[in-house]
Amino acid sequence: MTTKTEERVVDPLDAQEARSARLTGLEIIKRGLALSPAIKDGIGVTLLLAMLSTVGGTVVPIVIQVAIDAGLGEGGHTDRGEVHLWVGIALALIAVTAVCAYAMRVRLFVASERGLTQMRVQAFRHVHDLSMLTQNAERRGVLVSRVTSDIDQVSLFLQFTGIMIVVSVGQMIVATIVMAYYSWQLTIVVLVCFLPLAVSMKWFAERLSQAYDTVRRTVGEMLAVIAEPVVGASVVRSHAIEARTQRRVDHGIDANLQANVSAQRLVAVTFASAGVAGGLANAGVVIAGVALGVAGGLSMGTVIAFAFLVGLFVGPVQIATQVLTEAQNAIASWRRVIDLLDTPADVVDPGSSAPPLPDGVLGARFDHVTFAYPGGPDVLRDVDVEIAPRQRVAVVGETGSGKTTFAKLLTRLMDPVTGTVSLGGSDISTVSFDELRRHVLMVPQEGFLFDATLRENLLYGKADADDAALLAVVDGLGLSDWFATLPRGLDTRVGQRGESLSAGERQLVALLRSALADPDFLVLDEATSAVDPQTELRATRALERLLEGRTSVTIAHRLSTAENSDRVLVFDAGRLVEDGTHAELVDAGGVYARLHASWVAQSRLDH
Amino acid sequence: MSDSPSATTDNLSASTDQVMGRGFRLLGRGMSEQRFLFTISVVGSVVYGAMTVADAWVLGWATDHVIRPSFEKGEMVKGALAVSVLLFMTVAILRALGVIARRLIGGIVYYRLVADYRRRVTRRYLALPMSWHHKHPTGQLLSNANADVEAAWAVFMPLPMAIGVIAMLVAAVVAMLLADVVLTVVGLVVFPALFGINVFYQRWLSPKVSHAQSLRGDVSAVAHESFDGALVIKSLGREADETARFARHAEALRDANIAVGRIRSIFDPLLEALPNLAVLAVILIGIDRVASGAAAPGDVVQVAYLFTVVAFPVRAIGWVLGELPRSVVGWDRVRTVLDATGEMPYGSRELDGAGPARLRLEDVRFEYEAGTEVLSGVDLDLEPGRVVAVVGATGAGKSTLTSLLTRLVDPVSGRVLVDEVDVRDLTHGSLAEHVAVVPQSTFLFDDSVRENVTLGADVPDDGVWAALRAVQADGFVSALPRGLDTQLGERGTTLSGGQRQRLALARALVRRPRLLVMDDATSAVDPEVEQRILAALAEHTADEDGPSVLVVAYRKATIALADEVVFLDDGRIADRGTHAELIGRSADYRLLVDAYDQAREAGDLA
Ligand SMILES: Nc1ncnc2c1ncn2[C@@H]1O[C@H](COP(=O)(O)OP(=O)(O)OP(=O)(O)O)[C@@H](O)[C@H]1O
Ligand SMILES: Nc1ncnc2c1ncn2[C@@H]1O[C@H](COP(=O)(O)OP(=O)(O)OP(=O)(O)O)[C@@H](O)[C@H]1O
Ligand SMILES: [Mg+2]
Ligand SMILES: [Mg+2]
């Protein structure tokens, strides 16, 4: 953002990501563990077990040293007793190691799965608490990946990569200690051989993290274009733009392929360099070992055992370099989930402790409300209006004038930038969600249905309604005739997003659903725009009767609604420009009069 | 509430034996598709394996020729020492080259397979008919192209290494045989045991892994749907119930993952311990062999070292076997897309007419589900240059009718003819070039305004602006931050319902179709703007080369544009004629179209 006066917040998730980009990997891990405490259940014991489980491998070189010095080396006389003793000790240690490793892993799986499931569910809930979800439909794909693949990455990290790093570092430390015990000089030789690798690791890590940033960006872009042939299937077919769509998809896939290959190149080189360092160390140990041995400072068994110890050292180093890249990826995923959780829920539920709304039917009030979508211009400007209880208000205005925005503020799907919205006299942001949703309900234009039966969809309005209650509402809205045409009745499957029903039918189901919810303040945003006039009139009037004496705000381009309301609010370019009864506004000769004239011209054409 | 958005995946998991068999066939397919690169990565891997064994051999050689002689003589054996250093470094460098070939080229094989199958899957999406799309949840199709393709080929990541390890094991056994026959027996016991344990392990694991994978798909489908319906969930205050529904799926996945984890926890330590045990056995036996003079100490050291270096790589075989079940499940899901048939065959004829097109429907029948006719014997004749309005109640079949015209669906029986040519005989491009449909709900691409209007067609900006002007969209588009270049969608601006709808209208007009079909395409537009759009349209159609128009509408202003009205009732044409005629003779039509006026006259409305 290069704007000088940055008063407008940008997308809150982006803002959070920008803030957390400064956190290091370790800080991310710390924050992640703090957010899902179940991961840490008994972590001390688990880490202790992890340390113990590194012992088994280390004992083997010791046995070799003993065996060589006890006889293998000289060829003639051998002290079998000592070798047998050490083999016995080693057997026991290996067994202990295996048991520890088993226990450590089980604990780790259980703790991390529990913790991550917590985090997954939390993140899911948090997404629903972000107003962004209802503002910006296009980001949904990204949000889905936060609660699915990103968490999966973290779980891989905790269960394999992370523990491999812990175990590898443990092995490196133990191997170093044992080496130092045998000969500090040789230990220095080994460490010096690994020095260049250690130094270059930082450089590699930076390059890798850049490379993986590119990979992630291309993944996002690829997913977006891959969605087009699926979500936009009918548009693609109608306009025969398959070739173009395929080109876009191919382009996204190829960019992702290139990015992955570039990252892989770095991974391969990093991994290979650890092996070269190992070869160097072996050679160094032989030279220095022989030199020291000849000078009388070392036994032959020690020198050979050292070669084994170098092996024990190289293995973990190689694993560590390898998993480093995976860890980068996993930490980036973790960061994204944490960013999501740390993005403040902008529309906050004040919780059940908030004072309840007064009983009875409520009115609403907009007190100098201004609203802008993140990063955009004002779309509502200084709206100041009071809606009395039981009033039936129609909201009209040109497309894009801010009607939907008004409805979303009224139902607190978003909060104003300045000014307050209040309900029944209390600031709407101090009303608990439970309370709010019990009173106020908005029916959006897009009659979204869930991929389930008609019954299940209706139950979204009122979870404990029985079939008789459902049918009563169908009848109450005068939709029995339509309902009778459904061969499977309440068991009709509506398809994903409700697409097995016609557009108007979807809206009818949404209307039924809201009638069941029985709110006392109803907000309809073009909720019947696709329904035929006859059915619309019948259903909306029946709804009015059902909700007799409630407050309602109806947005519709069919001005029949406005003609029939107590009061009409007219929006124009984000401002409330007219307010009055239908008759008053027609006489006033303003925006409404013009809109109404067009409407009448349309509907009375032949009269 | 609905707990089974994609319960379909479970029946894909088959018995374990089959999984292994199918897994190996899958490996064969991938190998042959990336023959060249795969071979290089395997060669690299074999080099790596051979060098790993050579490393042990060098250590053995150094023990016998450098370390022991030096210790015995009390001075450094310089020549041999130089040779051993050289050997160590050569082996290390060769091994590094092997690693690079294996990891980089092996990685490229994997990424190419994934990219290739993503292309194939998306090509299928583009080829398969709408009826197929309707039956498959969006979330599932997206995961088929992404997670499932990745899962299918994930096994190719460890595969070159595993193959190299097999070579390495062979080399190791040879090296052992050369060193000491008796000690080799240990190897011959341990290696098959490693392999056997691995196989047993994977058999036990694979059904559990498949199960977890399908639960993962469910979690993703629930999240997808729930976020899709966020507005409804929020306005009904159902967040807590949705969270509970999601939690149920997440917890099932957690339990499945833990079950997998428990098995892994047993086997991983076992597989790690085995080579260490082998080293101990080698030492026990080796002492006796050396004491009896049957073996040199260097041989024992070398064999023991072999076990330590082989221990880790051997597990790559386990990784491959471990990935296989997941790959097979992923592949099965990918294959359901690749093998899906029923794409629309297109004909080879082109339309060459100019000016408005003629549309005729002959006894068209259509059903979404067998037995429930949605269109029953529809006949329709739209003469060139005329405007026909289709009017009918909600659910009468109007959208279904429009979807026949661009062949989103084909009739069960009967014919759809454009300029007297059956649309099924036309090429795909030709049909779309001449017929444009504005659908009832708008889809915008994640692209600029310009691209959303032109859809890649070569239209000058003048043409785009003209189309935008005709639908009264020029005003708000020029107010957008970057005009025609403003990005819409994920990284761009969100438009209001009416603004979106007008872009869809412009999209149809800019193509200058010869038949324009509008399905309730002004429902989200205010009356004034709609009036102006209709006026512009009327002007346009009055032109010599304006299109013939089929329009689905309720508003009388739109209907008034029509030369003829077709009244559709429950999938049948109940009546046709001019608006005035229908008003005069059809009570049902009157009730439908005149509803507002009747209400007004009855004094019901203000
Ligand atoms: N999620 C969003 N992000 C950014 N801008 C938005 C978003 N939604 C709407 N807008 C913009 O805000 C303005 C008001 O939109 P709104 O949806 O409130 O209009 P409306 O009056 O409901 O229009 P319509 O009649 O077309 O539905 C429009 O200019 C629109 O482009
Ligand atoms: N994909 C589908 N699968 C099964 N049935 C469907 C499908 N799409 C539509 N239908 C059914 O076919 C009938 C006709 O639907 P269509 O969408 O053509 O109606 P319409 O006349 O366009 O209605 P509207 O005015 O509400 O848009 C409806 O009863 C609907 O339930
Ligand atoms: Mg709106
Ligand atoms: Mg329709």
Side-chain angles (χ1 to χ4, degrees):
Chain A
M1 292 292 105
T2 50
T3 41
K4 282 158 287 171
T5 48
E6 201 192 318
E7 33 184 272
R8 293 268 172 265
V9 267
V10 285
D11 182 306
L13 187 57
D14 286 345
Q16 180 59 38
E17 280 173 6
R19 241 171 295 154
S20 88
R22 291 188 289 269
L23 295 187
T24 64
L26 273 181
E27 284 167 326
I28 290 290
I29 294 177
K30 251 169 71 187
R31 179 89 191 104
L33 292 180
L35 281 171
S36 26
I39 300 179
K40 285 190 298 189
D41 280 351
I43 188 88
V45 178
T46 307
L47 283 180
L48 184 71
L49 288 170
M51 283 333 243
L52 287 178
S53 66
T54 60
V55 173
T58 331
V59 71
V60 169
I62 301 180
V63 176
I64 289 179
Q65 176 260 323
V66 170
I68 290 173
D69 287 344
L72 267 183
E74 280 96 67
H77 137 89
T78 49
D79 183 351
R80 284 191 208 174
E82 196 181 349
V83 174
H84 286 176
L85 173 69
W86 273 98
V87 167
I89 293 174
L91 264 180
L93 283 178
I94 289 173
V96 169
T97 300
V99 172
C100 288
Y102 166 75
M104 180 269 286
R105 273 160 215 262
V106 170
R107 295 173 63 89
L108 193 65
F109 269 109
V110 172
S112 62
E113 281 296 330
R114 287 206 179 128
L116 289 179
T117 302
Q118 250 176 21
M119 188 180 235
R120 210 193 277 274
V121 174
Q122 248 173 30
F124 176 89
R125 172 65 206 231
H126 197 73
V127 168
H128 272 296
D129 286 343
L130 291 177
S131 69
M132 186 175 67
L133 189 61
T134 46
Q135 287 175 13
N136 191 343
E138 283 74 14
R139 285 200 79 145
R140 281 174 200 159
V142 176
L143 294 171
V144 170
S145 71
R146 299 287 156 96
V147 300
T148 54
S149 54
D150 279 336
I151 300 250
D152 291 341
Q153 282 284 334
V154 181
S155 104
L156 272 183
F157 172 72
L158 289 176
Q159 292 160 7
F160 300 100
T161 332
I163 208 63
M164 268 194 193
I165 292 179
V166 172
V167 169
S168 302
V169 170
Q171 279 175 349
M172 273 151 58
I173 293 172
V174 174
T176 311
I177 292 171
V178 176
M179 285 195 289
Y181 167 77
Y182 278 120
S183 156
W184 61 267
Q185 299 97 328
L186 284 188
T187 309
I188 289 177
V189 170
V190 171
L191 291 182
V192 165
C193 290
F194 278 93
L195 198 62
L197 183 69
V199 172
S200 59
M201 220 50 225
K202 196 174 154 46
W203 182 82
F204 273 124
E206 268 163 24
R207 296 289 302 267
L208 269 171
S209 98
Q210 278 169 18
Y212 276 110
D213 276 345
T214 315
V215 168
R216 268 188 298 280
R217 194 172 41 72
T218 58
V219 167
E221 287 164 4
M222 178 182 74
L223 293 183
V225 284
I226 281 185
E228 285 179 3
V230 178
V231 188
S234 64
V235 177
V236 170
R237 267 162 203 70
S238 304
H239 291 289
I241 49 167
E242 281 87 352
R244 169 178 186 269
T245 311
Q246 187 69 55
R247 264 199 312 283
R248 282 164 62 81
V249 170
D250 284 355
H251 183 77
I253 292 174
D254 287 340
N256 177 243
L257 173 64
Q258 289 315 319
N260 269 316
V261 170
S262 302
Q264 190 67 12
R265 205 169 289 146
L266 275 169
V267 173
V269 173
T270 319
F271 190 66
S273 33
V276 174
L280 210 60
N282 266 336
V285 164
V286 172
I287 300 174
V290 169
L292 286 169
V294 169
L298 283 178
S299 74
M300 180 175 147
T302 308
V303 176
I304 292 175
F306 237 90
F308 279 73
L309 284 169
V310 170
L312 273 188
F313 193 75
V314 178
V317 169
Q318 262 183 337
I319 292 172
T321 55
Q322 175 188 3
V323 296
L324 188 81
T325 65
E326 286 162 35
Q328 295 266 3
N329 243 342
I331 287 178
S333 290
W334 214 350
R335 185 195 297 272
R336 286 197 295 274
V337 181
I338 291 169
D339 283 343
L340 171 66
L341 285 170
D342 282 348
T343 304
D346 39 359
V347 179
V348 189
D349 185 354
S352 47
S353 59
L357 287 170
D359 282 338
V361 177
L362 307 174
R365 170 164 177 72
F366 272 58
D367 188 11
H368 296 285
V369 168
T370 295
F371 182 82
Y373 288 95
D378 287 345
V379 294
L380 277 191
R381 276 172 247 196
D382 197 29
V383 173
D384 197 66
V385 64
E386 170 136 24
I387 296 169
R390 299 194 174 76
Q391 210 166 38
R392 289 173 309 147
V393 177
V395 175
V396 301
E398 286 193 9
T399 59
S401 58
K403 304 180 296 296
T404 298
T405 309
F406 178 75
K408 285 183 177 174
L409 290 169
L410 191 54
T411 49
R412 201 163 180 242
L413 293 171
M414 320 183 288
D415 279 338
V417 174
T418 61
T420 50
V421 178
S422 44
L423 193 70
S426 17
D427 182 343
I428 199 170
S429 63
T430 64
V431 179
S432 82
F433 279 9
D434 272 354
E435 189 75 1
L436 184 65
R437 306 294 176 226
R438 240 195 26 244
H439 287 277
V440 187
L441 175 63
M442 159 158 149
V443 187
Q445 174 174 16
E446 186 59 22
F448 182 93
L449 304 183
F450 294 86
D451 187 5
T453 62
L454 182 58
R455 176 185 296 104
E456 286 169 303
N457 271 289
L458 292 178
L459 291 179
Y460 266 85
K462 184 164 190 262
D464 55 0
D466 57 13
D467 280 8
L470 301 185
L471 295 176
V473 167
V474 171
D475 195 43
L477 285 196
L479 297 176
S480 304
D481 289 350
W482 164 71
F483 184 77
T485 64
L486 299 174
R488 289 192 193 79
L490 289 173
D491 291 315
T492 306
R493 287 204 71 91
V494 302
Q496 50 166 335
R497 305 178 55 94
E499 278 162 9
S500 297
L501 297 180
S502 84
E505 290 169 335
R506 280 200 292 278
Q507 289 190 334
L508 291 179
V509 176
L511 214 58
L512 285 169
R513 190 165 56 190
S514 53
L516 267 166
D518 193 25
D520 47 39
F521 194 132
L522 185 64
V523 181
L524 298 168
D525 184 6
E526 299 185 41
T528 49
S529 61
V531 178
D532 69 67
Q534 193 185 2
T535 312
E536 183 195 26
L537 272 184
R538 194 175 340 121
T540 51
R541 276 205 225 136
L543 188 65
E544 266 166 33
R545 270 198 306 280
L546 279 184
L547 303 180
E548 181 76 63
R550 321 286 169 97
T551 318
S552 71
V553 170
T554 310
I555 301 172
H557 289 308
R558 297 180 182 174
L559 294 192
S560 54
T561 327
E563 293 170 347
N564 198 27
S565 63
D566 298 337
R567 180 181 180 190
V568 180
L569 300 179
V570 184
F571 281 87
D572 189 32
R575 288 186 191 280
L576 178 60
V577 291
E578 286 170 34
D579 178 359
T581 65
H582 166 71
E584 286 165 11
L585 294 186
V586 167
D587 290 343
V591 178
Y592 182 76
R594 225 172 54 229
L595 282 173
H596 189 256
S598 308
W599 163 250
V600 171
Q602 286 180 5
S603 60
R604 291 207 174 140
L605 217 69
D606 47 354
H607 286 247
Chain B
M1 208 138 282
S2 100
D3 265 354
S4 53
S6 69
T8 44
T9 47
D10 269 331
N11 52 20
L12 285 175
S13 61
S15 86
T16 321
D17 285 345
Q18 275 179 324
V19 167
M20 282 296 151
R22 298 212 322 262
F24 283 116
R25 275 203 297 284
L26 178 61
L27 293 184
R29 172 186 286 264
M31 288 181 205
S32 73
E33 282 180 16
Q34 293 290 331
R35 219 170 293 123
F36 178 66
L37 289 181
F38 186 75
T39 311
I40 298 183
S41 71
V42 168
V43 169
S45 180
V46 168
V47 168
Y48 168 80
M51 289 307 116
T52 303
V53 173
D55 212 24
W57 174 80
V58 173
L59 182 63
W61 188 88
T63 308
D64 286 344
H65 295 88
V66 184
I67 304 177
R68 205 153 61 117
S70 300
F71 274 78
E72 277 165 6
K73 285 193 202 141
E75 61 170 316
M76 278 166 103
V77 193
K78 291 226 177 64
L81 181 65
V83 172
S84 75
V85 168
L86 199 67
L87 284 174
F88 271 125
M89 288 318 295
T90 313
V91 166
I93 287 167
L94 280 178
R95 191 162 59 164
L97 291 178
V99 165
I100 290 181
R102 186 194 81 205
R103 294 206 61 134
L104 177 57
I105 311 290
I108 293 178
V109 167
Y110 164 72
Y111 290 121
R112 283 205 181 173
L113 281 170
V114 167
D116 195 34
Y117 274 82
R118 280 204 174 116
R119 281 188 217 112
R120 292 194 203 189
V121 167
T122 47
R123 277 189 168 69
R124 292 307 300 160
Y125 289 164
L126 287 168
L128 287 164
M130 285 311 294
S131 56
W132 185 87
H133 277 269
H134 280 313
K135 287 193 207 95
H136 295 83
T138 311
Q140 184 188 323
L141 296 188
L142 294 181
S143 101
N144 286 155
N146 299 314
D148 290 332
V149 168
E150 279 169 15
W153 300 114
V155 65
F156 270 76
M157 272 298 203
L159 185 61
M161 171 140 176
I163 294 178
V165 166
I166 292 174
M168 182 163 90
L169 290 182
V170 172
V173 171
V174 170
M176 285 180 192
L177 277 174
L178 292 177
D180 187 83
V181 181
V182 174
L183 291 177
T184 311
V185 174
V186 179
L188 290 181
V189 171
V190 170
F191 293 154
L194 270 179
F195 189 75
I197 291 178
N198 261 315
V199 169
F200 179 67
Y201 170 34
Q202 301 310 338
R203 291 217 165 167
W204 193 9
L205 197 60
S206 71
K208 297 208 158 37
V209 171
S210 311
H211 181 58
Q213 180 75 1
S214 85
L215 290 178
R216 188 166 288 129
D218 289 350
V219 166
S220 155
V222 171
H224 199 94
E225 188 185 45
S226 188
F227 293 171
D228 227 7
L231 194 58
V232 169
I233 289 166
K234 195 159 226 163
S235 53
L236 289 167
R238 302 275 306 193
E239 294 99 326
D241 307 80
E242 279 299 286
T243 309
R245 172 161 88 110
F246 181 76
R248 273 204 303 284
H249 287 277
E251 279 157 17
L253 174 61
R254 174 195 65 197
D255 295 342
N257 279 342
I258 291 179
V260 168
R262 284 188 192 280
I263 298 179
R264 290 208 146 142
S265 307
I266 297 175
F267 281 91
D268 286 348
L270 197 62
L271 292 171
E272 262 159 49
L274 211 57
N276 285 334
L277 297 179
V279 173
L280 295 182
V282 166
I283 288 172
L284 275 183
I285 300 170
I287 295 191
D288 287 342
R289 299 283 293 166
V290 173
S292 67
D299 297 336
V300 179
V301 170
Q302 184 194 340
V303 173
Y305 189 71
L306 267 177
F307 280 108
T308 52
V309 292
V310 162
F312 186 73
V314 157
R315 310 197 48 213
I317 297 177
W319 298 336
V320 167
L321 296 175
E323 279 295 340
L324 263 191
R326 208 165 77 86
S327 290
V328 168
V329 174
W331 174 243
D332 281 345
R333 287 160 147 259
V334 170
R335 222 186 35 194
T336 53
V337 177
L338 296 181
D339 291 353
T341 51
E343 65 247 65
M344 281 195 167
Y346 289 95
S348 55
R349 292 187 59 176
E350 302 272 346
L351 284 178
D352 43 15
R358 180 192 192 114
L359 171 73
R360 234 155 46 75
L361 267 64
E362 272 181 12
D363 192 24
V364 166
R365 288 170 193 281
F366 181 80
E367 54 194 29
Y368 289 103
E369 285 166 53
T372 318
E373 265 192 1
V374 171
L375 294 177
S376 319
V378 171
D379 288 300
L380 193 140
D381 192 354
L382 170 54
E383 281 166 25
R386 299 195 14 124
V387 179
V388 168
V390 178
V391 177
T394 289
K398 305 177 296 293
S399 298
T400 307
L401 180 70
T402 64
S403 64
L404 292 165
L405 309 184
T406 48
R407 294 192 69 204
L408 292 181
V409 292
D410 276 339
V412 174
S413 70
R415 299 199 298 163
V416 177
L417 306 149
V418 174
D419 282 353
E420 300 304 318
V421 182
D422 191 322
V423 288
R424 282 171 289 203
D425 295 335
L426 292 172
T427 63
H428 188 19
S430 177
L431 182 61
E433 189 187 327
H434 296 271
V435 183
V437 175
V438 189
Q440 203 166 6
S441 53
T442 307
F443 175 81
L444 294 183
F445 290 90
D446 194 0
D447 210 335
S448 66
V449 173
R450 178 187 292 101
E451 287 291 309
N452 262 294
V453 172
T454 63
L455 295 180
D458 194 12
V459 182
D461 280 5
D462 284 355
V464 176
W465 281 115
L468 289 175
R469 230 176 350 262
V471 299
Q472 310 289 308
D474 51 332
F476 80 83
V477 170
S478 52
L480 288 173
R482 300 188 52 216
L484 285 183
D485 291 312
T486 309
Q487 286 287 320
L488 304 176
E490 180 134 0
R491 285 172 300 281
T493 311
T494 310
L495 300 175
S496 81
Q499 293 168 337
R500 294 165 67 92
Q501 202 168 42
R502 278 181 280 168
L503 284 193
L505 274 164
R507 182 187 280 167
L509 288 185
V510 84
R511 311 173 90 76
R512 308 201 141 271
R514 295 177 49 228
L515 171 61
L516 176 64
V517 184
M518 296 192 292
D519 185 2
D520 203 10
T522 50
S523 62
V525 177
D526 62 79
E528 203 182 346
V529 169
E530 189 189 27
Q531 275 294 80
R532 279 187 259 144
I533 294 176
L534 293 178
L537 207 68
E539 226 169 81
H540 193 47
T541 44
D543 278 4
E544 269 305 288
D545 59 346
S548 316
V549 177
L550 187 77
V551 57
V552 174
Y554 298 121
R555 296 190 194 172
K556 279 194 274 180
T558 322
I559 298 174
L561 289 178
D563 303 301
E564 189 188 20
V565 177
V566 170
F567 181 36
L568 199 63
D569 184 19
D570 198 12
R572 281 167 216 284
I573 293 191
D575 206 345
R576 69 180 84 213
T578 64
H579 174 62
E581 285 165 12
L582 292 189
I583 284 280
R585 69 171 175 246
S586 166
D588 285 345
Y589 181 77
R590 220 165 29 237
L591 279 176
L592 185 72
V593 175
D594 259 356
Y596 299 131
D597 301 281
Q598 286 159 11
R600 200 182 284 115
E601 276 154 25
D604 242 2
L605 296 173

